[in-house]
């Protein structure tokens, strides 16, 4: 029991660290959100069906005199397709999409599974139907994430064009993920009930944990802390990246954009560029 | 070397070879060019170019102001200055751009989805050096090596393995000018990352920190514009002389007496042209004058030093220069008291003053900006411009300028105009926001030093030429059928002019080119004679 308690605490700390480090990353990028325009069309929020072919309000004669039509719905639909289905990859690189989609979709299932486990652990013993749902979500998540992860790894190993610019750390990331997935499958299929373990972790009553489960939980914890600090934290970046290209709001008098421009003008960077023409 | 052998790693940028990756295995052009032997070879390279500049990337020189240092001390000093600039690129001094730059360097998953969207990569048959994310990878690894703990302590394990030497820096600088900044790659990126922007940021580092930029873009570009008023060197006096000449020409060709309104206070619109039009294609500002006269518009040109050239090369390489030019142009419009600025046929001028400059100052110091395209489309809709489409009854295809279409979202009004005045209009594939760049974008159209024009004609513009051939289909090879490539942008038009000449497409197959307004004037019902020169007897 003495050995298991620190493990439970570590898992909880790792979960908290994942959320906090992700939030920190979000805040770090937010710091630079007042920036120049980088319009790139299609911009999904453009209304009047302009989003369908990539049009903008600049298509209107005297656009500033006309009401602008935007749609949060089309923007949400677009970002939803990117987040959940990785649409651009589907369109432009179908071969990679199959594995990437399975991997990411599997991770989404596992994220959902974790939330269900948290609930199931806290209301333990949970109703049987709820346990069945947890089981199904977990099975699907582990299976498709593992298939996707293996596919991505094999591609990185055997495809010359994919291999050429990979760094050792990028192989390590996928191997690490695979190790967590495989130990998870072994643990929950043959050695422990994830709902019981979740209950014991969240109530700090973890006892009698099989070695493979200990190994899985330690690796999972490290992974959760590592993800936001690595390139795997791109789930944070994707939000800013797409919104940077879609931020085409004009700088009109009294607008929020104008306020931002005024604030941007007050910046006093400590450095200056060195080329002589920049000093004049 | 075949493209299949060009699997360059990021660290190869520092490889000790005379020329890293010459563009000697290009994509095959469609027939008739696959077999007609009309594609010229590269001009012979001179050894002294490589002795004086960095020609070791691919044998071509874009950065004609970056001379090889004379000794090791000077090389070392250059490397140190570069590293100082590299750090600044990711700091507050670059706050307007640092977010998308960081996102791209932090999160690129190297899925290479961007590669197949890049016309230059495709034209090179897949040379890894020209993969849009390659230069990002090099920049990331250089930064990591010097400015991150993981790079300092783990080195190659985390990819911090690129040697930062004079040669690798110079090659990276050259590589930033093997990109048209068309941002088609960003459109395809599943993570929304912008490798085109990274190329521009590398150019910025070179210009704003090291004082290195191609002569046509900087010394004879923004610097000349800020000194005399135009990147063409056109002075106010010469500009006014040119207008007189164009007025006479309009009268001789059309019988219309049109006086260019100049510096008319309080006019509805200030029309700003790329000054290159006044010199290389005077038919274009003349066509504008004819259309605006026919539509009965209250408009003016400006003869102020910052008012008669709409260009702003700064947006390709230098934020400081871009700002100086844009604010100067707004000042002119404010002083004239015009209600709006209407940008003529210049793609990057559209983007510069409407998009890039939009957040440079408050609304108080600006006037609304719009493209000439929706303005003209509105005149067509209102019946102020009436066409006789039979006057334009020949195959016409349309090149979408990246800056107007992909980067500004003006897609349909030009098609509305074309459908009204050009009965044989046909699209290129792909088109609209998914178009391919002409190959001259971001200053590459202007860069002709040493052998660089060969690179443009054979590599960067190759995909566009392929699109033009395909758009005209069977008509392409018939010299009895005149064909018109419509490109409403000076730089695109210049690039297309050059490729049509380079591949002898005009002389052999009667492929002509021009802007949109010239085609509109030619199709005006009120015109008695053809306006397009190649239709005149």
């Amino acid at each position: 029991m003495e050995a298991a308690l620190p493990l439970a605490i570590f898992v909880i700390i790792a979960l908290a660290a994942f959320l906090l480090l992700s939030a920190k990353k979000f805040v770090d990028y937010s710091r630079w959100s007042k920036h120049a325009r980088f319009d790139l069309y299609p911009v999904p929020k453009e209304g009047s069906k302009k989003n369908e072919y990539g049009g903008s309000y600049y298509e209107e004669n005297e656009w500033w005199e006309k009401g602008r039509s935007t749609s949060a719905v089309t923007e949400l639909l677009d970002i939803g397709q990117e987040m959940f289905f990785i649409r651009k990859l589907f369109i432009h690189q179908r071969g990679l999409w199959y594995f990437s989609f399975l991997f990411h979709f599997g991770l989404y299932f596992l994220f959902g599974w974790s939330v269900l486990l948290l609930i199931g652990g806290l209301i333990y013993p949970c109703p049987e139907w709820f346990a069945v749902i947890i089981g199904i979500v977990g099975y699907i998540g582990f299976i498709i994430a593992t298939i996707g992860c293996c596919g991505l790894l094999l591609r990185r190993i055997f495809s010359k064009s994919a291999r050429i610019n990979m760094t050792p750390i990028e192989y390590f990331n996928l191997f690490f993920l695979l190790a967590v997935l495989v130990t998870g499958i072994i643990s929950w299929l043959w050695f422990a009930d994830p709902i019981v373990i979740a209950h014991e972790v969240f109530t700090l009553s973890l006892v009698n944990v099989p070695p493979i489960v200990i190994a899985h939980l330690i690796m999972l914890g490290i992974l959760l802390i590592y993800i936001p600090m690595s390139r795997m934290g791109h789930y944070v970046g994707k939000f800013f990246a797409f919104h940077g290209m879609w931020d085409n709001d004009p700088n009109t008098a009294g607008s929020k954009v104008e306020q931002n421009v005024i604030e941007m003008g007050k910046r006093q960077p400590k450095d200056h560029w060195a080329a002589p023409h920049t000093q004049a | 070397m075949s493209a299949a052998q060009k699997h360059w790693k990021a660290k190869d940028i520092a490889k000790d070879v005379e020329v890293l990756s010459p563009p000697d295995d290009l994509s095959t052009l469609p027939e008739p060019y696959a077999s007609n032997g009309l594609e010229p070879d590269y001009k012979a390279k001179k050894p002294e170019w490589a002795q004086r500049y960095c020609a070791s990337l691919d044998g071509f020189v874009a950065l004609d102001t970056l001379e090889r240092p004379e000794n090791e001390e000077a090389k070392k000093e250059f490397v140190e200055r570069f590293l100082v600039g590299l750090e600044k690129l990711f700091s507050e001094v670059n706050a307007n751009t640092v977010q998308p730059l960081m996102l791209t360097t932090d999160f690129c998953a190297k899925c290479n989805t961007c590669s197949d969207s890049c016309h230059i990569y495709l034209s090179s048959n897949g040379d890894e050096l020209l993969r849009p994310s390659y230069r990002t990878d090099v920049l990331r690894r250089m930064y990591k090596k010097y400015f991150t703990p993981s790079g300092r302590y783990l080195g190659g394990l985390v990819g911090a393995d690129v040697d930062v030497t004079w040669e690798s820096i110079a090659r990276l600088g050259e590589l930033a000018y093997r990109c048209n900044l068309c941002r088609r790659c960003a459109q395809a990126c599943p993570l929304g990352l912008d490798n085109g922007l990274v190329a521009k940021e590398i150019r910025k580092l070179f210009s704003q920190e090291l004082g290195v930029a191609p002569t046509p873009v900087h010394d004879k570009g923004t610097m000349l514009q800020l000194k005399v008023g135009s990147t063409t060197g056109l002075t106010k006096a010469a500009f006014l002389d040119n207008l007189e000449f164009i007025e006479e020409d309009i009268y001789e060709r059309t019988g219309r007496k049109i006086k260019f309104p100049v510096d008319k206070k309080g006019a509805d619109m200030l029309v700003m042209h790329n000054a290159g039009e006044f010199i290389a294609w005077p038919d274009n500002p003349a066509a504008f004058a004819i259309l605006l006269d026919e539509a009965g518009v209250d408009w003016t040109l400006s003869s102020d030093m910052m008012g008669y050239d709409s260009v702003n090369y700064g947006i390709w390489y230098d934020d400081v220069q871009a700002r100086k030019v844009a604010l100067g142009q707004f000042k002119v419009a404010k002083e004239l008291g015009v209600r709006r600025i209407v940008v003529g046929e210049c793609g990057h001028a559209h983007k510069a003053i409407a998009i890039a400059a939009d957040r440079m100052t408050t609304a108080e110091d600006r006037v609304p900006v719009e493209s000439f395209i929706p303005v003209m489309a509105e005149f067509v809709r209102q019946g102020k411009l009436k066409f006789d489409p039979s006057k334009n009854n020949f195959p016409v295809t349309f090149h979408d300028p990246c800056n107007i279409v992909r980067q500004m979202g003006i897609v349909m009004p030009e098609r509305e105009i074309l459908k009204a005045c050009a009965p044989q209009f046909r699209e290129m594939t792909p088109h609209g926001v998914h178009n391919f760049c002409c190959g001259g974008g971001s200053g590459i159209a202007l860069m002709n030093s040493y052998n660089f024009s060969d690179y443009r004609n054979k590599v960067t513009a190759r995909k566009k030429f392929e699109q033009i051939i395909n758009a005209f289909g069977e008509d392409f090879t018939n010299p009895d059928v005149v064909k018109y490539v419509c490109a409403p942008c000076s730089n695109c038009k210049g690039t297309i002019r050059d490729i049509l000449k380079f591949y002898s497409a005009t002389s052999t197959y009667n492929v002509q080119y021009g802007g949109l307004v010239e085609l509109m004037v030619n199709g005006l019902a009120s015109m008695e004679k053809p306006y397009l020169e190649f239709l005149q007897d």
Side-chain angles (χ1 to χ4, degrees):
Chain A
M1 183 167 176
E2 288 78 17
L5 183 62
L7 180 61
I9 294 171
F10 171 68
V11 171
I12 292 170
I13 289 173
L15 274 169
F18 173 78
L19 296 173
L20 288 173
L21 289 171
S22 298
K24 182 185 178 300
K25 202 156 199 167
F26 191 89
V27 171
D28 287 347
Y29 283 112
S30 302
R31 201 179 138 221
W32 303 106
S33 283
K34 287 171 190 152
H35 51 58
R37 282 178 66 173
F38 306 103
D39 299 26
L40 193 69
Y41 295 85
V43 170
K45 74 179 174 195
E46 281 296 327
S48 310
K49 298 195 172 178
K50 289 183 187 296
N51 62 310
E52 291 175 6
Y53 61 84
S56 77
Y57 56 91
Y58 287 113
E59 290 190 321
E60 305 297 324
N61 179 44
E62 301 188 42
W63 58 266
W64 60 96
E65 299 282 3
K66 295 172 184 168
R68 193 175 161 215
S69 166
T70 56
S71 166
V73 175
T74 51
E75 181 169 298
L76 277 172
L77 280 174
D78 201 279
I79 194 73
Q81 289 179 67
E82 282 308 326
M83 281 173 63
F84 293 108
F85 301 107
I86 324 176
R87 187 186 53 172
K88 284 181 192 286
L89 201 60
F90 179 80
I91 295 168
H92 298 290
Q93 215 185 151
R94 194 70 56 90
L96 175 59
W97 178 83
Y98 292 113
F99 293 122
S100 185
F101 172 72
L102 285 175
F103 176 65
H104 286 94
F105 216 63
L107 292 184
Y108 297 152
F109 265 84
L110 289 176
F111 183 77
W113 183 67
S114 305
V115 174
L116 292 175
L117 275 181
L118 174 66
I119 298 167
L122 292 176
I123 63 168
Y124 187 82
C126 61
E128 198 172 323
W129 62 267
F130 193 65
V132 170
I133 290 175
I134 291 176
I136 291 171
V137 172
Y139 279 129
I140 294 173
F142 272 111
I143 290 168
I144 63 176
T146 306
I147 293 171
C149 189
C150 289
L152 292 175
L153 198 51
L154 290 172
R155 184 176 175 273
R156 272 185 201 180
I157 292 169
F158 293 109
S159 162
K160 199 170 183 182
S161 64
R163 195 172 62 219
I164 190 87
N165 279 299
M166 289 295 163
T167 57
I169 198 81
E170 284 158 325
Y171 289 98
F172 168 78
N173 290 348
L174 277 181
F175 273 118
F176 191 16
L177 274 160
L178 187 61
V180 173
L181 287 167
V182 170
T183 54
I185 290 171
I186 296 169
S187 296
W188 311 132
L189 269 182
W190 293 296
F191 289 92
D193 179 343
I195 301 173
V196 173
I197 295 290
H199 170 70
E200 291 179 355
V201 164
F202 293 122
T203 54
L204 297 180
S205 56
L206 196 61
V207 286
N208 299 328
V209 189
I212 184 73
V213 179
I214 293 175
H216 172 65
L217 291 179
I218 289 173
M219 283 196 291
L220 177 66
I222 295 170
L223 182 70
L224 287 171
I225 298 168
Y226 175 61
I227 282 175
M229 298 192 291
S230 74
R231 196 167 293 174
M232 292 186 285
H234 59 244
Y235 50 89
V236 178
K238 201 163 178 171
F239 171 84
F240 292 104
F242 280 109
H243 280 85
M245 291 169 178
W246 298 344
D247 173 15
N248 66 346
D249 295 338
N251 175 12
T252 48
S255 64
K256 192 176 171 230
V257 175
E258 190 181 51
Q259 276 307 309
N260 287 345
V261 169
I262 291 167
E263 284 177 38
M264 282 154 69
K266 291 177 187 165
R267 284 173 180 150
Q268 300 263 320
K270 64 179 193 315
D271 282 329
H272 296 282
W273 296 101
H277 72 270
T278 65
Q279 316 295 321
Chain B
M1 191 190 298
S2 80
Q5 296 168 288
K6 294 181 177 179
H7 280 285
W8 306 114
K9 292 182 175 178
K11 64 182 179 186
D12 290 335
I13 195 90
K15 202 171 182 176
D16 186 16
V17 288
E18 199 176 320
V19 178
L20 188 57
S21 188
D24 49 9
D25 179 16
L26 301 176
S27 63
T28 306
L29 286 168
E31 291 293 354
Y33 282 86
S35 59
N36 66 6
L38 286 176
E39 178 175 359
D41 212 344
Y42 295 112
K43 285 192 280 290
K45 298 175 179 71
K46 294 183 179 170
E48 56 264 33
W49 299 343
Q51 284 160 17
R52 191 169 171 192
Y53 305 105
C54 174
S56 66
L57 180 76
D58 51 13
F60 295 84
V61 179
L63 287 170
D64 56 356
T65 52
L66 179 59
E67 296 194 16
R68 285 187 178 278
E70 287 174 0
N71 53 49
E72 287 305 311
E73 195 61 29
K75 276 187 182 176
K76 199 176 155 207
E77 191 211 330
F78 182 83
V79 170
E80 282 166 7
R81 287 169 55 214
F82 170 82
L83 289 172
V84 169
L86 183 57
E87 192 173 21
K88 287 180 189 171
L89 211 54
F90 290 86
S91 75
E92 183 123 25
V93 70
N94 196 28
N96 281 350
T97 318
V98 83
Q99 190 189 70
L101 175 67
M102 271 179 151
L103 290 167
T104 307
T105 51
D106 284 356
F107 293 128
C108 175
K110 300 172 190 173
C111 67
N112 295 344
T113 307
C114 53
S115 302
D116 286 339
S117 64
C118 174
H119 57 291
I120 301 176
Y121 176 84
L122 292 172
S123 295
S124 73
N125 259 342
D127 182 346
E128 288 288 333
L129 201 69
L130 298 168
R131 182 165 47 80
S133 57
Y134 183 87
R135 57 183 78 81
T136 304
D137 207 14
V138 172
L139 190 78
R140 175 197 300 117
R141 289 171 194 244
M142 286 179 166
Y143 184 83
K144 208 163 197 172
K145 187 168 184 171
Y146 287 89
F147 302 109
T148 68
S150 64
R152 276 198 291 262
Y153 299 117
L154 299 174
L157 279 177
V158 292
D161 56 359
V162 173
D163 290 335
V164 182
T165 62
W166 187 90
E167 204 70 42
S168 65
I169 296 169
R171 281 174 177 165
L172 180 64
E174 282 291 333
L175 201 51
Y177 287 91
R178 304 297 185 275
C179 168
N180 287 117
L181 311 186
C182 78
R183 299 174 70 212
R184 199 171 186 270
C185 54
Q187 221 176 20
C189 178
L191 292 170
L193 308 179
D194 197 340
N195 286 299
L197 180 129
V198 175
K200 190 229 157 174
E201 292 303 293
I202 295 168
R203 294 177 178 196
K204 185 198 285 183
L205 192 169
F206 271 72
S207 179
Q208 293 182 197
E209 186 67 20
L210 305 174
V212 172
T215 301
V217 173
H218 186 67
D219 290 342
K220 291 185 178 171
T222 54
M223 294 301 273
L224 189 60
Q225 184 177 17
L226 291 165
K227 188 178 169 196
V228 304
S230 170
T231 58
T232 59
L234 188 72
T235 60
K236 176 176 177 172
F239 165 67
L240 293 172
D241 273 355
N242 262 32
L243 292 185
E244 274 183 35
F245 161 78
I246 297 170
E247 284 164 0
E248 284 166 20
D249 193 55
I250 293 173
Y251 181 66
E252 278 171 25
R253 290 169 61 184
T254 69
R256 298 178 187 214
K257 281 205 161 185
I258 296 174
K259 180 94 183 140
F260 279 100
V262 180
D263 300 330
K264 187 177 168 191
K265 294 265 182 189
D268 179 43
M269 58 171 84
L270 166 64
V271 177
M272 293 187 75
H273 292 296
N274 179 319
E277 302 285 344
F278 293 112
I279 295 166
W281 298 286
D283 283 5
N284 182 275
F288 265 96
I290 292 167
L291 294 170
L292 295 172
D293 182 64
E294 181 133 332
V297 179
D298 175 22
W299 68 291
T300 187
L301 297 174
S302 166
S303 70
D304 187 282
M305 196 184 84
M306 292 306 294
Y308 58 85
D309 195 350
S310 66
V311 307
N312 188 344
Y313 297 173
I315 65 162
W316 300 326
Y317 78 105
D318 191 306
D319 291 350
V320 178
Q321 295 294 85
R323 187 179 170 84
K324 286 180 198 166
V325 172
L327 295 186
Q329 291 169 335
F330 278 134
K331 190 161 171 269
V332 168
K334 288 297 278 188
E335 284 172 359
L336 271 177
V338 295
R339 199 169 67 88
R340 50 180 159 164
I341 293 173
V342 172
V343 187
E345 295 200 355
C346 179
H348 90 273
H350 273 73
K351 182 182 158 183
I353 198 159
I355 307 288
D358 187 50
R359 294 184 185 173
M360 286 181 187
T361 183
T362 58
E364 196 184 331
D365 295 323
R366 291 179 293 120
V367 296
V369 177
E370 67 181 323
S371 165
F372 80 99
I373 297 174
V375 173
M376 293 293 178
E378 184 68 10
F379 294 154
V380 173
R381 262 175 243 135
Q382 291 172 344
K384 289 180 176 174
L385 300 175
K386 291 192 175 70
F387 299 115
D388 172 358
S390 67
K391 293 179 176 179
N392 284 336
N393 194 17
F394 44 83
V396 172
T397 192
F398 183 75
H399 163 69
D400 288 286
C402 304
N403 287 308
I404 296 175
V405 182
R406 182 166 27 255
Q407 304 194 44
M408 208 170 154
I410 301 173
V411 186
M412 296 312 283
E414 52 270 50
R415 286 166 168 78
E416 211 178 310
I417 294 169
L418 285 164
K419 280 169 188 162
C421 75
Q424 292 195 50
F425 165 61
R426 74 274 310 266
E427 294 279 15
M428 292 187 189
T429 304
H431 58 266
V433 291
H434 301 293
N435 73 319
F436 281 112
C437 172
C438 64
S442 78
I444 287 177
L446 320 163
M447 289 157 54
N448 296 308
S449 47
Y450 307 101
N451 50 357
F452 202 75
S453 58
D454 276 2
Y455 189 85
R456 180 179 63 241
N457 289 326
K458 284 177 74 79
V459 185
T460 65
R462 192 174 197 83
K463 199 75 193 168
K464 184 51 61 182
F465 189 50
E466 179 188 315
Q467 279 193 290
I468 291 169
I469 297 168
N470 289 337
F472 290 124
E474 289 177 3
D475 290 327
F476 187 90
T477 48
N478 185 351
D480 296 330
V481 177
V482 64
K483 294 157 286 279
Y484 189 78
V485 184
C486 179
C489 164
S490 290
N491 286 346
C492 303
K493 206 160 62 177
T495 305
I496 290 167
R497 170 196 61 197
D498 290 356
I499 52 174
L500 294 181
K501 190 177 175 196
F502 185 80
Y503 292 95
S504 307
T506 303
S507 56
T508 313
Y509 301 114
N510 200 3
V511 184
Q512 309 289 340
Y513 76 96
L516 178 60
V517 287
E518 295 94 312
L519 188 70
M520 290 172 75
V521 170
N522 194 66
L524 280 179
S526 59
M527 287 290 286
E528 288 173 8
K529 288 187 290 188
Y531 184 72
L532 294 169
E533 261 184 39
F534 56 83
L535 296 177
Q536 293 162 9
D537 294 329

